[in-house]
Amino acid sequence: MRDQARVVIIGGGIAGCSALYHLTQEGWTDVMLIERDELTSGTTWHSAAQVTNFGMTQTMVGLKSHSIKLYQELRDDPEYPVGYNHGDGGIRLANTEAQMDGYRHFASMAAGMGVEFEVLDAEECARRHPLISTDNLLGGLWDGSDGHIDPAQLCQALARRARLAGAEVNRHTPVTGLTQHADATWTVHTEKGDVKCEIVVNAGGYRCNEIGAMMGVQHPVASMEHQYFLTEDIPAIAEAGHRIPLLRCPISDYYCRQEKGGLLLGFYEQDCRTWGMDGIDPHFTNALCPDDLDRVTDVLEGAFERMPCLTETGIREVVNGPITYTIDGAPLVGPIPGKRNAFCIIGLRAGLGEGGGHGWLLAQQIVHGEAEYDTWGLDPRRFTGHATVELTALKAIEDYQNEFRFHFPHEHRPAGRPMKTTPLTAVFEAEGAEMGTVNGWERIDFIKPTRDFHETLGFRFNEVQAVVAAEVQAVATGVGLTEVSGFNRFELTGTGVHAFLDRMICGAVTKKPGRVGLGYLLNHHGMLKAEATVANIPASDRGPDRVWYGSAAASEFHDMDWLTTHLTPDDDVQIRSLTNDQTILVLAGPRARDVLQAAARGDWSRDAFPWLSVREAHVGIAPVTVLGVSFSGELAYEIHVPNQSLAAAYTAMRRAGAAHGLRLFGARAVDSMRLEKGFLHWKADILTEFDPFETGLDRFVKLQKPDFVGKAALLDAVDRGPRKKLVTLTVDCTHAAAHPGASVRLNGRIVGTVTSGDWGHRTGLNLAYAFVDPEVAAPDTALTVDVIGAPTPAMVIPTGPYDPGYDRMRA
């Protein structure tokens, strides 16, 4: 074993083998994989190994498409062919119209990635899968690329190719410790000696937290026992004359695929069980958990009803092994929060099907700093301080019980809630608030008109539409109040703060005391990395001159990593997080100034406190920091309050607002209003796949600045010209919004993809943002948008149709 490598990957399952291979494909060959036992001796060896092209986002579809293409290449390798049944086809069943709507939307989304799905009726499902009954069935989604692969052969093939390129694979080499040095390099301690390296990758599967503990981190990954069994031969399979398609059934929580002359049936029972929460036997390798078929009896009964042939078939073998989950079910692929030169590729519950793509995206991040897709949906930093293994276990159980039931728009499932609350959470619930979650924080979604009000979840406008309309009306004509919990807030101090921010932000940086500005940070490829509100707070009894850097609630770890990575020893800059210490009350509407004037001493007139001002004050007895900014397009104030004073500030605001008809509003109303105003959401519309010019943020770029992170690459992009342009569309229908991922078409040809969509209640327009080809980006261009899969007339319009002169915000 070498004692030095550029990258050391710990773990020899599909995650580690894929990452190793793809690093060599990116040109890094001084790389090493270390495995405590044999390759694939963890979860990989007992995987059901299904390989579908289905994904909930375009990124997931893209990485699965990469996996399929790679696996086909490995299958056809004459020197080391891998057993891969590709193209058997697969059906996801549905027995509700809402599920069918979801399938229609996902088919449109996948089409934007060059992947074709078909939406089938019940009879066609049964024609393609002759073993199923159509009872209680509406239809399904057909994936023609569905299939399954041999796990061991796949990993050995990837490792073989990596070795041929110069990589080293060390089996039976347990890692005993990790040491990071002052220069951010690592020493990996093993039972066979130490290895020095620049970068460490945790690919430890269900042992990922044993590796995490060696570097002082805990990953939000928990394991679930998962059972499947293999049947004896079934005559109907031989009689079919073709391989039986794969089946995934959200109605009865099971899946199946052909295995030789019989079936492999897997179960996602409600009486499911976590595994390894109190530690894992060091000798648990190539091992399984005890069978427990009593747990899956209810699921099996549903499978019998759907596939009557199972009632006459015996069980040949039972497999019960651990599989890993994260809080939201998606993997953790990317930088480890708070660590330098440390990455992970863990939490791969569908590892074999997706693993080729995961390793591909991770290798790009390690070598190039970013992947070609925006990888936020996989980023380990999308979870912050609340992300414990205990919370993950609760969410893993919930995900397991709903494995094939996708999340509907605006669905916030209950497990692990409430996780992060403010002193007002219970108050808002008493006021009738329906709460959602943002990065674990409870946040007002909307205010229920009655206590027994219930939303019908789905892809169409529903009974909440009228509720949100009333909230928007209250804000537009009077004054509304809401809470924004978990907003990311850093305090920057030191003599070098503005010089540092000037280096990080691609546009002008506000330096004037008492003023607020908006800025964008780029990565080294000139693409959008972060969005920040910068507020210059003058010295007071609360502290010295300081700058507040504010960004999206989920960006806390992401932005802290990005900022601290770019600090140099010569920078007199200190960064302190206030994210968990303060909460924002947003006061919005034409009467907002009247309420603020009644609640807080001082002169809050337009002349004394104009738009984009910041001031320390008191609301009642509560110390606050007020920013004159708006995300709604109305006159508005962000009132930042220390959490210990939040109840006092809220009480004073409600009292002051009583005379002005103050109403509560929620995030659904905000989202509607920000679309009308042309404001963007980070990681919905602001993506690392696009530069600021493509995203319509030209006014926030100052190319004449001497330098800023990403400038050279951005100048190259300017010379190249835009690949896509973000536009605003009006969609000619009233039954549903255009959901993220929906395809935009010109004469049937796909020319773009929707990023956000909602009804604009002040304009009366069904609005959507979409990245489209530049030649169709001009206003008045007629297009179609797939709304729940159906092409619907749409028109490009100027961005921000509500109050385009910004008069209401400046009032």
Side-chain angles (χ1 to χ4, degrees), residues 504-527:
M504 298 299 297
I505 291 174
C506 66
V509 177
T510 304
K511 300 179 177 64
K512 186 177 179 180
R515 298 297 291 167
V516 179
L518 183 64
Y520 291 88
L521 292 74
L522 310 183
N523 61 27
H524 294 97
H525 304 283
M527 305 299 170

Side-chain angles (χ1 to χ4, degrees), residues 598-648:
R601 288 187 295 111
D603 183 356
W604 297 98
S605 66
R606 176 177 177 176
D607 291 339
F609 192 77
W611 184 48
L612 298 180
S613 294
V614 57
R615 179 193 296 177
E616 292 178 332
H618 284 78
V619 167
I621 61 172
V624 302
T625 304
V626 183
L627 276 65
V629 296
S630 174
F631 201 48
S632 63
E634 306 292 345
L635 175 67
Y637 304 97
E638 283 185 0
I639 302 166
H640 298 242
V641 191
N643 283 335
Q644 67 268 23
S645 302
L646 189 59

Side-chain angles (χ1 to χ4, degrees), residues 507-574:
V509 177
T510 304
K511 300 179 177 64
K512 186 177 179 180
R515 298 297 291 167
V516 179
L518 183 64
Y520 291 88
L521 292 74
L522 310 183
N523 61 27
H524 294 97
H525 304 283
M527 305 299 170
L528 286 163
K529 186 73 173 178
E531 177 188 58
T533 301
V534 176
N536 298 314
I537 304 174
S540 69
D541 57 357
R542 302 185 196 174
D545 288 338
R546 56 206 181 279
V547 170
W548 275 9
Y549 172 109
S551 56
S555 70
E556 180 185 0
F557 285 4
H558 173 278
D559 285 14
M560 182 64 84
D561 275 359
W562 189 247
L563 293 175
T564 55
T565 296
H566 288 85
L567 281 175
T568 71
D570 296 330
D571 288 322
D572 178 20
V573 178
Q574 297 80 47

Side-chain angles (χ1 to χ4, degrees), residues 107 162 170 200 273 288 335 371 476 515 520 525 564 568 570 572 673 683 727 729 738 748:
N170 295 286
V200 168
R273 181 177 298 169
L288 295 171
R515 298 297 291 167
Y520 291 88
H525 304 283
T564 55
T568 71
D570 296 330
D572 178 20
M673 291 187 284
K683 292 309 178 188
V727 299
L729 299 165

Side-chain angles (χ1 to χ4, degrees), residues 241-567:
H242 60 82
R243 287 190 60 82
I244 299 297
L246 287 84
L247 196 72
R248 297 172 181 84
C249 182
I251 307 167
S252 302
D253 300 306
Y254 79 99
Y255 63 89
C256 73
R257 66 168 172 82
Q258 184 172 337
E259 178 69 16
K260 297 182 179 178
L263 292 173
L264 181 154
L265 261 78
F267 307 98
Y268 290 96
E269 71 278 8
Q270 298 302 296
D271 184 23
C272 53
R273 181 177 298 169
T274 58
W275 179 85
M277 290 291 291
D278 296 317
I280 302 170
D281 186 334
H283 302 294
F284 189 90
T285 180
N286 277 112
L288 295 171
C289 310
D291 303 345
D292 189 1
L293 289 183
D294 289 342
R295 285 211 318 263
V296 303
T297 301
D298 57 336
V299 181
L300 193 55
E301 289 175 355
F304 286 161
E305 292 176 3
R306 181 63 57 204
M307 302 173 67
C309 67
L310 294 174
T311 61
E312 302 173 357
T313 304
I315 298 174
R316 180 162 54 86
E317 183 181 355
V318 179
V319 173
N320 183 17
I323 56 176
T324 56
Y325 280 75
T326 66
I327 290 176
D328 62 2
L332 304 176
V333 180
I336 295 175
K339 293 292 178 182
R340 299 285 297 276
N341 293 342
F343 293 80
C344 61
I345 177 168
I346 54 179
L348 279 61
R349 73 175 180 188
L352 268 295
E354 304 171 353
H358 291 140
W360 173 56
L361 293 182
L362 180 67
Q364 290 181 52
Q365 292 179 72
I366 291 172
V367 175
H368 306 294
E370 299 283 358
E372 63 182 77
Y373 300 148
D374 188 296
T375 57
W376 180 245
L378 310 174
D379 197 310
R381 297 165 298 187
R382 69 186 187 274
F383 307 120
T384 55
H386 67 292
T388 62
V389 173
E390 288 74 15
L391 173 63
T392 308
L394 292 176
K395 298 303 289 185
I397 292 169
E398 183 179 63
D399 255 6
Y400 192 93
Q401 293 170 333
N402 293 278
E403 177 69 27
F404 299 129
R405 287 183 282 277
F406 51 78
H407 279 77
F408 287 111
H410 308 299
E411 181 179 8
H412 300 275
R413 290 179 178 170
R417 295 178 60 190
M419 185 66 212
K420 293 194 281 191
T421 62
T422 77
L424 296 180
T425 302
V427 174
F428 290 130
E429 289 178 330
E431 295 260 18
E434 179 71 20
M435 306 298 285
T437 59
V438 178
N439 191 34
W441 288 94
E442 296 291 316
R443 188 178 288 185
I444 304 171
D445 209 26
F446 59 89
I447 306 298
K448 295 183 288 187
T450 61
R451 291 203 170 275
D452 60 353
F453 181 87
H454 178 73
E455 178 176 13
T456 305
L457 293 172
F459 284 80
R460 299 170 187 264
F461 293 132
N462 57 26
E463 54 274 273
V464 175
Q465 182 85 333
V467 177
V468 173
E471 292 180 12
V472 171
Q473 175 73 5
V475 172
T477 61
V479 61
L481 182 69
T482 194
E483 178 191 64
V484 180
S485 54
F487 182 77
N488 184 49
R489 182 186 299 96
F490 300 149
E491 182 178 88
L492 282 67
T493 55
T495 60
V497 167
H498 285 106
F500 172 64
L501 289 175
D502 202 45
R503 193 169 77 234
M504 298 299 297
I505 291 174
C506 66
V509 177
T510 304
K511 300 179 177 64
K512 186 177 179 180
R515 298 297 291 167
V516 179
L518 183 64
Y520 291 88
L521 292 74
L522 310 183
N523 61 27
H524 294 97
H525 304 283
M527 305 299 170
L528 286 163
K529 186 73 173 178
E531 177 188 58
T533 301
V534 176
N536 298 314
I537 304 174
S540 69
D541 57 357
R542 302 185 196 174
D545 288 338
R546 56 206 181 279
V547 170
W548 275 9
Y549 172 109
S551 56
S555 70
E556 180 185 0
F557 285 4
H558 173 278
D559 285 14
M560 182 64 84
D561 275 359
W562 189 247
L563 293 175
T564 55
T565 296
H566 288 85
L567 281 175

